[in-house]
């Protein structure tokens, strides 16, 4: 019998709202992301989970960052995409959503690529649209927008290399929240700014702190821009630019002007497209379009290469390196992920059949020993040759990899017809052998075909992401929050989020909040799932 899942979900939400003494205000309800249509697909699949905690992720706390896992889009300085806090178990969950009203002017497209939490448990989101971006402060329970600030952005045509095309405004997302509730981020592709919270509890606002650091004179504004900034354990800024493999190091304690910046150029003709991972010892791990690097800085703050390893870059067409279908750039599509108590760093490569590659972080006497393993992933029938433009999940010796092969969003033309063609499925777990001499594939999930960046809760033993299912009867995509068992890779439960491409995530990260709720940035705004018992 055909069911109207949306009506059933809304009915449950109303009952829960009454039970919670009308916690959700009418104003927030009126801002929901509209569904494209009803769906005959189930509202809830599976059953509530029992917690099966795993070992803590082992990630150290950077004293200059907000507490793990609330400081960066990838949760911490190791870019682990893990959290030592509990997420929802799927106990009669309800969904809320918001279009982020008043935060954007020119487009319904408002994905938020960096979602963090301040010391009061409020959400801070870096959101972007067509030639616009904003910093947004939100109530974590009602999704009410408490404050927002428009950001200066790079404008112009979408940026891409034959893969995904995104507006330059997107790259404001590579920033971080510090230990003083201040956001450090890039403005207009050339200046590092700091935004702090001000105002009263009832009327908060963002204000710029200090004068920032303008790097514009170092860049050809028509050719390049600053991609992102992260802080190390010594309080220094590591800054990278979009169209070269140049790294700048800025030490606020000794900086008086551009002449005090230190820099290093990595490989000729290489580019840095994703973020950096750092360790307490001062090592920075960087993946370019051709190689994996460990970089450090001396007492004079001058960066230098400790080791470099080219990875398999053989995915090509007529001997010309191409962008894999389902990625945004040539070469590896990942931010490096540190794991194994800091002993390893992992990426995926650009081989014809993609591999997960694990490196030893310490420089090896024999260069042949730098690589721990190179293991094919998504090599099952229907998995394609694999692609990955999401960060890996890394916890202790375990790595979770998600397939994005054939996923495409045509931002340049706002053309969503391709979403009727499903992207390749696949989520896999690979463990580094206890003796550090190789890797073993633990499980393969061939059902889930979403691209929301994963997050593992070590307290529940669940991996959270988004799943996308095609409803042929109603000619619409239905989007679900999904929880997988870390031990087996099996789907434990799924909860319908909404229908239509406004609920598509284009790889934005799923986030576990301090209130045990799950947040999912999507094209049309922000979604939230919370258990009701």
């Amino acid at each position: 019998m055909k069911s109207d899942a949306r009506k059933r979900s809304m009915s449950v939400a109303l009952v829960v709202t009454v039970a919670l003494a009308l916690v959700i205000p009418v104003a927030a309800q009126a801002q929901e992301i509209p569904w494209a249509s009803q769906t005959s697909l189930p509202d809830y699949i599976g059953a509530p989970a029992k917690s099966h905690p795993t070992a803590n992720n082992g990630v150290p706390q950077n004293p200059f960052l907000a507490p793990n896992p609330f400081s960066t889009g990838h949760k911490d300085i190791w870019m682990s995409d893990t959290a030592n806090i509990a997420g929802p178990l799927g106990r009669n969950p309800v969904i809320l959503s918001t279009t982020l009203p008043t935060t954007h002017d020119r487009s319904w497209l408002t994905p938020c690529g960096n979602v963090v939490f301040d010391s009061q448990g409020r959400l801070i989101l870096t959101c972007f649209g067509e030639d616009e971006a904003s910093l947004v402060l939100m109530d974590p329970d009602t999704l009410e927008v408490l404050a927002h600030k428009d950001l200066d952005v790079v404008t112009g045509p979408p940026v891409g290399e034959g893969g995904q095309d995104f507006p330059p405004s997107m790259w404001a997302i590579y920033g971080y929240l510090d230990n003083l509730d201040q956001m450090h981020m890039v403005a207009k592709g050339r200046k590092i700014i700091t935004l702090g919270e001000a105002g009263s509890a009832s009327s908060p606002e963002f204000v710029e702190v200090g004068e920032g650091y303008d790097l514009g004179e170092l860049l050809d504004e028509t050719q390049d821009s600053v991609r992102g900034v992260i802080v190390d354990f010594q309080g220094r800024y590591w800054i990278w630019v979009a169209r070269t493999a140049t790294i700048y190091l800025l030490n606020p304690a000794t900086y008086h002007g551009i002449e005090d910046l230190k820099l290093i150029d990595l490989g000729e003709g290489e580019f840095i497209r994703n973020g950096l991972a750092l360790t307490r010892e001062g090592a920075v791990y960087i993946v370019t379009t051709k190689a994996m690097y460990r970089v450090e800085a001396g007492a004079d703050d001058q960066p230098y290469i400790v080791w470099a390893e080219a990875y398999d870059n053989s995915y090509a067409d007529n001997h010309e390196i191409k962008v894999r279908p389902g990625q945004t750039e040539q070469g590896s599509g990942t931010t490096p992920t540190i794991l194994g108590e800091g002993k390893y760093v992992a990426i995926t490569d650009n081989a014809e059949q993609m591999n997960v590659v694990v490196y030893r972080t310490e420089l090896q006497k024999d260069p042949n020993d730098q690589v721990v393993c190179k293991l094919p992933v998504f090599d099952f029938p229907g998995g394609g040759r694999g692609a990955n433009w999401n960060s890996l999940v890394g916890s202790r010796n375990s790595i979770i990899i998600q397939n994005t092969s054939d996923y495409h969003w045509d931002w340049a033309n706002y053309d969503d017809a391709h979403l009727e063609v499903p992207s390749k499925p696949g989520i896999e777990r690979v463990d580094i052998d206890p003796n550090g001499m190789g890797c073993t594939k633990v499980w393969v999930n061939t059902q889930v075909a979403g691209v929301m960046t994963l997050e593992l809760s070590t307290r529940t033993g669940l991996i959270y992401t988004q799943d996308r299912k095609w409803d042929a009867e109603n000619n619409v995509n239905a989007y679900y929050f999904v929880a997988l068992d870390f031990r087996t890779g099996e789907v434990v439960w799924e909860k319908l989020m909404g229908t239509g491409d406004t609920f598509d995530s284009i790889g934005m990260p799923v986030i576990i909040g301090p209130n045990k709720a799950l947040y999912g940035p999507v094209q049309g705004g922000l979604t939230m799932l919370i258990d009701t018992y």
Side-chain angles (χ1 to χ4, degrees):
M1 185 176 186
K2 185 175 180 179
S3 64
D4 187 339
R6 185 189 182 194
K7 290 181 180 178
R8 183 166 65 252
S9 178
M10 291 177 64
S11 298
V12 172
L14 288 173
V15 171
V16 172
T17 300
V18 173
L20 294 178
L22 296 176
V23 166
I24 305 164
V26 174
Q29 291 286 344
Q31 300 161 354
E32 288 184 332
I33 301 171
W35 290 33
S37 73
Q38 66 177 22
T39 179
S40 57
L41 298 182
D43 175 68
Y44 185 81
I45 301 168
K50 294 182 179 179
S51 291
H52 295 283
T54 70
N56 281 5
N57 56 29
V59 181
Q61 176 62 52
N62 183 325
F64 295 95
L65 290 179
N68 299 339
F70 304 129
S71 59
T72 75
H74 292 305
K75 315 306 184 270
D76 50 53
I77 207 72
W78 282 7
M79 307 296 145
S80 75
D81 287 289
T82 64
N84 295 326
I85 59 174
L89 293 172
R91 295 173 174 172
N92 193 31
V94 295
I95 299 289
L96 298 179
S97 69
T98 175
T99 59
L100 301 174
T102 76
T103 67
H104 51 97
D105 299 323
R106 298 189 273 287
S107 171
W108 60 267
L109 289 158
T110 52
C112 304
N114 195 3
V115 181
V116 296
F117 291 86
D118 70 9
S119 59
Q120 299 181 53
R122 300 179 298 188
L123 291 119
I124 300 177
L125 307 89
T126 308
C127 307
F128 61 95
E130 184 186 11
D131 294 338
E132 61 182 332
S134 61
L135 194 64
V136 183
L137 183 69
M138 296 183 66
D139 185 289
D141 300 313
T142 67
L143 302 188
E144 177 188 1
V145 174
L146 304 175
H148 91 278
K149 183 178 180 61
D150 292 330
L151 302 173
D152 291 330
V153 298
V154 180
T155 60
V159 175
E161 298 175 334
Q164 308 285 6
D165 290 324
F166 293 109
S169 58
M170 175 180 181
W171 306 119
I173 68 176
Y174 278 117
Y176 67 89
L177 181 69
D178 72 11
N179 57 331
L180 301 175
D181 283 342
Q182 299 177 144
M183 284 296 299
H184 300 251
M185 55 202 311
V186 179
K188 207 168 184 178
R190 57 195 295 117
K191 186 177 182 181
I192 307 300
I193 62 170
T194 302
L195 296 174
E197 298 175 0
S200 64
S202 60
S203 185
E205 61 179 328
F206 291 114
V207 296
E208 192 161 345
V209 178
E211 298 181 357
Y213 303 99
D214 193 336
L215 311 183
E217 65 184 79
L218 301 175
L219 307 169
D220 181 339
E221 193 169 2
T222 64
Q223 297 293 326
D224 210 352
S225 62
V226 175
R227 172 62 59 89
V229 59
I230 192 67
V231 66
D232 66 16
F233 284 74
Q234 292 72 44
R236 302 172 300 188
Y237 287 140
W238 290 80
I239 302 163
W240 62 104
V241 296
R243 300 184 189 276
T244 66
T246 302
I247 299 290
Y248 293 99
L249 184 58
L250 189 158
N251 189 338
T254 59
Y255 184 83
H256 301 287
I258 290 293
E259 65 278 2
D260 294 322
L261 272 181
K262 307 291 184 170
L263 69 90
I264 184 172
D265 288 315
L266 303 178
E268 179 69 24
E270 299 179 36
F271 304 91
I272 301 170
R273 291 297 189 227
N274 293 288
L276 315 183
L278 299 88
T279 66
R280 189 199 306 271
E281 294 73 27
V284 180
Y285 295 90
I286 305 158
V287 62
T288 71
T289 46
K290 295 183 181 180
M292 177 75 211
Y293 291 86
R294 172 173 172 157
V295 174
E296 295 183 16
D300 60 353
D301 296 328
Q302 177 60 50
Y304 61 91
I305 296 172
V306 176
W307 58 258
E309 284 281 332
Y311 54 79
D312 190 333
N313 212 3
S314 59
Y315 183 83
D317 183 13
N318 294 324
H319 306 290
E320 180 184 352
I321 301 299
K322 294 290 186 181
V323 177
R324 307 177 77 90
Q327 288 190 189
T328 62
E329 65 280 306
Q330 295 176 1
S332 172
T334 64
T335 291
T337 298
I338 300 169
L339 66 161
E341 298 180 303
K343 293 185 292 186
Y344 309 111
V345 60
I347 62 169
T348 49
D349 66 11
N350 194 35
E352 189 71 16
Q353 175 67 57
M354 192 176 72
N355 302 284
V356 62
V357 186
V358 179
Y359 304 86
R360 293 180 176 86
T361 52
E362 291 300 319
L363 176 65
Q364 301 298 300
K365 293 181 179 179
D366 184 345
N368 294 323
D369 292 337
Q370 202 68 54
V371 174
V372 175
C373 68
K374 175 182 172 182
L375 191 66
V377 289
F378 313 122
D379 51 350
F380 55 85
R385 289 175 291 182
N388 183 19
W389 62 292
N390 289 343
S391 178
L392 305 175
V393 173
S395 185
R396 296 295 172 172
N397 276 23
S398 296
I399 305 164
I400 311 296
I401 311 104
Q402 185 176 30
N403 195 7
T404 64
S405 183
D406 287 350
Y407 180 87
H408 185 71
W409 176 273
D410 187 356
W411 190 289
N413 301 303
Y414 302 99
D415 176 11
D416 56 10
H418 65 281
L419 292 181
E420 297 177 12
V421 180
S423 55
K424 297 292 190 297
I427 299 176
E428 301 191 4
R429 173 179 161 185
V430 171
D431 279 11
I432 303 167
D433 296 343
N435 62 7
M437 299 303 291
C439 298
T440 302
K441 191 170 293 191
V442 179
W443 50 254
V444 177
N445 179 296
T446 61
Q447 285 76 49
V448 177
V451 295
M452 186 175 283
T453 300
L454 312 168
E455 183 170 6
L456 166 67
S457 164
T458 64
R459 291 292 181 268
T460 64
L462 295 176
I463 302 164
Y464 302 100
T465 186
Q466 183 186 60
D467 194 10
R468 184 174 70 203
K469 304 178 189 292
W470 178 246
D471 179 354
E473 181 177 344
N474 292 286
N475 198 42
V476 71
N477 278 306
Y479 292 86
Y480 288 79
F481 277 117
V482 58
L484 289 81
D485 190 319
F486 171 76
R487 301 167 302 165
T488 66
E490 295 178 355
V491 172
V492 181
W493 54 262
E494 297 189 68
K495 172 66 177 178
L496 184 63
M497 181 187 296
T499 65
D501 299 331
T502 51
F503 287 94
D504 195 274
S505 72
I506 66 160
M508 300 298 106
V510 67
I511 307 101
I512 303 168
N515 56 355
K516 298 183 181 181
L518 206 61
Y519 299 89
V522 294
Q523 290 297 326
L526 184 74
T527 58
M528 170 185 173
L529 179 150
I530 191 165
D531 286 344
T532 58
Y533 73 88

